[in-house]
């Protein structure tokens, strides 16, 4: 069992974020457990890369003196798995918002998908973040502009897709595994891929499975983390 001093000196915690939790809620839960179960009055804790509420998977948290390592961990390559749904788009590019348009899918074949991915979605690409994201523009988060119904121009940014594998094709659903650089929006890949094959697509499931060498298979849920205290 780790001691209060261990957490103050610095620990890297691998947490499997549950569905519908914000990354902020997950950090607060772990912080509350450390304070209530170990009697710590003050403890620094932060995470190394946000996950959307509709995503699950690996959230790296750093405590105490290890919070200085957060920028280094944030820059690591990420791996995600999930599901795209073809034939419809949403304003948020995922299930946060309702479908706003539908598209034909009859022309979509496995060959077309694989060809488009290999020719247009590998290596360095230009990507526009979703309007429903936390990036700031003109002093406000993009999602605040979106919810206010404001039309704004979003600049594209460079990102790198190291690996992009389609692991199951059962249209209108396609499962994937993507290894990408920091700052990549998988929701935007869904939208852009749908557009590239003359259809539409949105993200219906997302799980972060790796950050650098850290894997979600070694992570524990907040419930597991709490159970470790109550067991002892």
């Amino acid at each position: 069992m780790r001691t209060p001093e261990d957490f103050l000196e610095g620990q890297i915690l691998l947490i499997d974020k549950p569905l519908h939790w914000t990354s902020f809620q997950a950090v607060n839960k772990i912080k509350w457990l450390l304070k209530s179960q170990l009697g710590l009055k003050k403890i620094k804790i932060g995470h190394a890369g946000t996950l959307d509420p509709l995503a699950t998977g690996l959230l790296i948290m750093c405590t105490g003196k290890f919070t200085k390592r957060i920028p280094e961990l944030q820059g690591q390559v990420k791996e995600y798995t999930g599901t795209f749904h073809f034939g419809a788009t949403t304003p948020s590019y995922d299930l946060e918002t309702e479908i706003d348009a539908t598209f034909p899918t009859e022309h979509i074949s496995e060959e077309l998908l694989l060809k488009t991915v290999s020719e247009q979605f590998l290596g360095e690409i230009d990507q526009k973040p979703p309007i429903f994201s936390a990036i700031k523009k003109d002093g406000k988060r993009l999602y605040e502009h979106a919810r206010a119904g404001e039309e704004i121009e979003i600049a594209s940014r460079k990102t790198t897709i190291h690996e992009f594998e389609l692991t199951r094709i059962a249209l209108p659903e396609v499962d994937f595994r993507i290894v990408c650089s920091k700052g990549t929006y998988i929701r935007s890949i869904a939208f852009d891929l749908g557009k590239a094959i003359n259809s539409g697509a949105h993200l219906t499931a997302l799980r972060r499975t790796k950050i650098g060498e850290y894997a979600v298979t070694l992570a524990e849920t907040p419930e597991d983390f709490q159970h470790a205290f109550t067991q002892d």
Side-chain angles (χ1 to χ4, degrees):
M1 181 69 184
R2 288 169 288 195
T3 66
E5 290 72 30
D6 290 333
F7 289 102
L8 291 170
E9 277 302 306
Q11 294 285 304
I12 290 178
L13 307 178
L14 306 184
I15 301 298
D16 188 348
K17 187 191 82 65
L19 187 66
H20 300 308
W21 284 43
T22 65
S23 301
F24 183 70
Q25 283 174 314
V27 168
N28 270 356
K29 176 69 173 180
I30 301 302
K31 188 173 188 177
W32 176 81
L33 284 168
L34 292 177
K35 290 172 83 171
S36 63
Q37 300 296 322
L38 296 179
L40 290 165
K41 288 186 179 175
K42 276 181 90 174
I43 176 77
K44 285 205 297 187
I45 182 168
H47 67 73
T50 303
L51 269 180
D52 289 338
L54 292 177
T56 65
L58 184 59
L59 198 62
I60 295 181
M61 297 186 195
C62 297
T63 75
K65 293 176 183 175
F66 275 23
T67 52
K68 292 177 183 172
R69 295 185 59 183
I70 285 175
E72 164 209 336
L73 293 166
Q74 281 177 327
Q76 300 289 309
V77 166
K78 316 285 194 304
E79 179 186 80
Y80 296 90
T81 60
T83 304
F84 299 138
H85 184 99
F86 287 86
T89 55
T90 72
S92 59
Y93 303 170
D94 65 4
L95 294 176
E96 185 187 341
T97 53
E98 298 292 321
I99 288 170
D100 61 354
T102 56
F103 301 85
T105 58
E106 296 80 10
H107 66 288
I108 303 174
S109 63
E110 182 173 335
E111 183 184 10
L112 175 62
L113 284 166
L114 294 172
K115 185 173 186 289
T116 306
V117 164
S118 65
E119 291 180 357
Q120 298 182 42
F121 291 87
L122 278 173
E124 188 177 75
I125 64 169
D126 288 311
Q127 182 184 82
K128 280 191 179 183
I131 182 70
F132 280 82
S133 62
I135 293 169
K136 279 193 171 179
K137 183 177 174 70
D138 302 331
K140 281 164 64 176
R141 305 282 184 191
L142 286 183
Y143 63 74
E144 293 177 306
H145 289 287
R147 287 170 186 160
E150 298 165 4
E151 298 238 352
I152 54 169
E153 183 58 37
I154 303 172
S156 63
R157 39 171 72 183
K158 299 284 185 190
T159 188
T160 303
I161 311 299
H162 300 285
E163 297 176 42
F164 193 159
E165 180 186 3
L166 302 182
T167 55
R168 180 182 71 101
I169 298 175
L171 290 163
E173 289 190 344
V174 173
D175 293 347
F176 63 84
R177 184 184 70 86
I178 289 174
V179 179
C180 55
S181 63
K182 172 191 173 184
T184 303
Y185 280 90
I186 308 299
R187 288 182 284 150
S188 290
I189 291 176
F191 180 83
D192 293 341
L193 178 57
K195 195 173 176 182
I197 59 171
N198 295 314
S199 183
H202 60 283
L203 184 69
T204 55
L206 184 66
R207 182 163 177 76
R208 185 157 66 197
T209 47
K210 281 185 183 177
I211 299 175
E213 295 303 310
Y214 297 98
V216 75
T217 50
L218 301 175
E220 51 191 345
T221 66
E223 190 179 1
D224 293 334
F225 192 79
Q226 182 169 6
H227 187 58
F229 287 111
T230 54
Q231 229 178 8
D232 286 350

